[in-house]
């Protein structure tokens, strides 16, 4: 009688050991959180496409898309390990790496690692036709939405205004709003203009231009050149938005996909590889992805490449 409990215990221990060995042999599930931006911007649909590509292509993975305030928030979340891959503007990425407190980074984000340079953002300054704003100088005394506070768009706004010899104090009123909210105020004549840093054909401006007469305001090439890298002159082609009959000069800033050092080399390798093997699906999600090209993926940037991404680029002959 006294031996029965010990035999039962032995059987339970043995069963537990078998289960433990089986679980040890099983592959752990890979969780990939894709950090994007507001749902009316370009980052979000591209992030949705990425999550689907990774969910199908990375064995054992479970993916999620997180809408955020974009660049600055994404980089801070990556530093904290609260995302595996995210979108960021190039200037925000440099400021995060350096720890620019005024830009929203309390300390250098030393865990960040690059996956790829992707497509350029176009800094798109759009006003309502009845506001009379047709040049940067016309913004003085007018109401302008500059993007969410400390977002990549807001950092772009500050840079453009500074190059034009202005600060927020020269404006009539500053609104810190995401893209869609800015457009709603403009439709209701409560806001004169919005600056949106995004891929061409961003949904929010498309929506505005189809319902209200608008002006796409020029940001001259010489002004952009005075700011310097990572800003570069660009053109918003005629017809990008309804009623836009001519090309408009503006500024561009390259976007990046970014991860962090705690993501495994194999996962980062697969994220990089699958991106470039599925560019058709990325373009289907938003036309801005048509500018993503393997030959432009590796550029000069102080943030190191993730070893997994570097391995892929070596295989492709981009790095010797």
């Amino acid at each position: 009688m006294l031996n029965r409990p010990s035999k039962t215990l032995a059987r339970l221990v043995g069963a537990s050991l078998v289960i433990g060995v089986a679980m040890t042999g099983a592959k752990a599930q890979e969780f990939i959180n894709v950090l994007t931006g507001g749902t009316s911007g370009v980052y979000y649909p591209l992030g949705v496409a990425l999550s689907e590509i990774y969910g199908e292509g990375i064995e054992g993975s479970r993916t999620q898309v997180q809408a955020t305030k974009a660049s600055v928030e994404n980089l801070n979340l990556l530093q904290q390990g609260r995302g595996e891959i995210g979108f960021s503007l190039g200037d925000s990425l440099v400021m995060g790496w350096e720890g620019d407190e005024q830009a929203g980074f309390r300390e250098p984000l030393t865990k960040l690692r690059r996956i790829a340079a992707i497509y350029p953002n176009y800094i798109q300054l759009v006003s309502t036709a009845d506001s009379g704003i047709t040049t940067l100088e016309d913004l003085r005394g007018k109401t302008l939405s500059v993007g969410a506070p400390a977002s990549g768009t807001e950092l772009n706004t500050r840079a453009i205004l500074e190059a034009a010899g202005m600060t927020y104090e020269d404006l009539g009123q500053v609104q810190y709003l995401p893209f869609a909210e800015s457009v709603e105020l403009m439709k209701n004549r409560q806001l004169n203009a919005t600056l949106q840093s995004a891929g061409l054909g961003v949904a929010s401006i498309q929506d505005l231009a189809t319902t209200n007469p608008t002006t796409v305001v020029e940001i001259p090439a010489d002004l952009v050149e005075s700011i310097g890298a990572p800003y570069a002159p660009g053109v918003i082609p005629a017809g990008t938005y309804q009623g836009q009959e001519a090309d408009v000069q503006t500024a561009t800033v390259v976007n990046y996909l970014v991860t962090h050092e705690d993501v495994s080399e194999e996962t980062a390798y697969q994220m990089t590889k699958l991106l470039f093997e599925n560019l058709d699906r990325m373009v289907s999600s938003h036309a801005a992805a048509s500018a993503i090209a393997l030959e432009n993926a590796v550029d000069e940037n102080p943030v190191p490449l993730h070893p997994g991404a570097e391995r892929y680029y070596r295989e492709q002959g981009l790095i010797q």
Side-chain angles (χ1 to χ4, degrees):
M1 294 292 292
L2 292 174
N3 291 332
R4 287 180 183 177
S6 61
K7 289 181 179 179
T8 301
L9 179 61
R11 284 197 296 270
L12 290 172
V13 170
S16 297
L17 287 172
V18 171
I19 293 170
V21 170
M23 291 181 66
T24 302
K27 184 173 181 178
Q29 188 174 58
E30 187 81 30
F31 183 71
I32 299 174
N33 188 23
V34 183
L35 305 172
T36 60
T39 56
S40 61
V42 176
Y43 287 173
Y44 189 79
L46 292 181
V48 170
L50 269 185
S51 73
E52 293 171 353
I53 291 166
Y54 293 161
E56 296 167 12
I58 300 177
E59 183 181 356
S61 66
R62 182 165 65 91
T63 61
Q64 172 183 301
V65 180
Q66 182 175 342
T68 68
K69 295 177 183 178
S71 299
V72 175
E73 183 177 7
N74 290 349
L75 297 175
N76 281 318
L77 288 172
L78 288 169
Q79 174 73 13
Q80 297 163 20
R82 295 169 61 190
E84 283 61 52
I85 190 167
F87 293 81
S88 176
L89 281 164
D91 55 339
S92 299
L93 182 56
V94 173
M95 291 176 186
W97 181 253
E98 295 174 347
D100 188 323
E101 190 167 355
Q102 289 188 335
F105 305 105
R106 296 181 179 178
E107 59 185 10
L109 307 185
T110 57
K111 291 186 177 182
L112 299 180
R113 296 294 183 267
R114 280 183 294 143
I115 289 290
I118 45 176
Y119 66 93
N121 256 24
Y122 289 75
I123 297 177
Q124 300 167 74
L125 177 58
V126 179
S127 65
T128 56
D130 60 8
S131 70
I133 300 171
T134 60
T135 68
L136 281 171
E137 188 64 25
D138 293 334
L139 287 172
R140 293 182 185 274
K142 300 296 176 65
T143 56
L144 173 68
S145 178
V146 299
S151 64
T153 291
E154 204 235 319
L155 298 182
N156 291 167
T157 305
R158 293 186 207 176
I160 296 299
L161 289 177
E162 182 179 354
M166 285 185 278
T167 67
Y168 288 169
E169 293 180 358
D170 295 303
L171 305 176
Q173 186 181 19
V174 176
Q175 295 279 2
Y176 297 88
L177 298 171
F179 295 174
E181 286 86 340
S182 301
V183 163
E184 288 306 310
L185 287 184
M186 292 176 75
K187 287 180 179 180
N188 296 328
R189 297 187 177 183
Q190 296 174 285
L191 183 70
N192 297 135
T194 177
L195 187 146
Q196 303 194 1
S197 182
L200 291 175
V202 62
S204 52
I205 299 178
Q206 294 277 23
D207 176 33
L208 177 66
T210 56
T211 57
N212 295 67
T214 58
T215 301
V216 182
V217 180
E218 180 183 74
I219 301 175
D222 57 350
L223 182 145
V224 178
E225 290 168 352
S226 72
I227 303 173
Y231 292 82
V235 172
I236 302 172
T240 299
Y241 300 106
Q242 186 169 316
Q244 183 199 342
E245 298 179 354
D247 291 350
V248 177
Q249 290 186 346
T250 192
T252 64
V253 183
V254 173
N255 284 291
Y256 289 83
L257 281 170
V258 187
T259 186
H260 59 83
E261 64 180 8
D262 295 329
V263 170
S264 73
E265 179 178 330
E266 180 60 24
T267 297
Y269 172 82
Q270 291 295 336
M271 290 196 299
T272 310
K273 181 174 184 284
L274 289 168
L275 165 68
F276 290 104
E277 289 182 349
N278 292 275
L279 288 181
D280 55 339
R281 291 181 63 177
M282 297 294 288
V283 174
S284 294
S285 69
H286 199 286
S290 61
I292 302 175
L294 178 60
E295 59 267 26
N296 300 328
V298 181
D299 62 4
E300 294 297 325
N301 190 289
V303 178
L305 279 169
H306 192 288
E310 184 175 340
R311 170 155 63 103
Y312 177 73
Y313 296 133
R314 287 188 187 280
E315 290 179 356
Q316 301 303 309
L318 295 182
I319 300 175
Q320 300 302 316

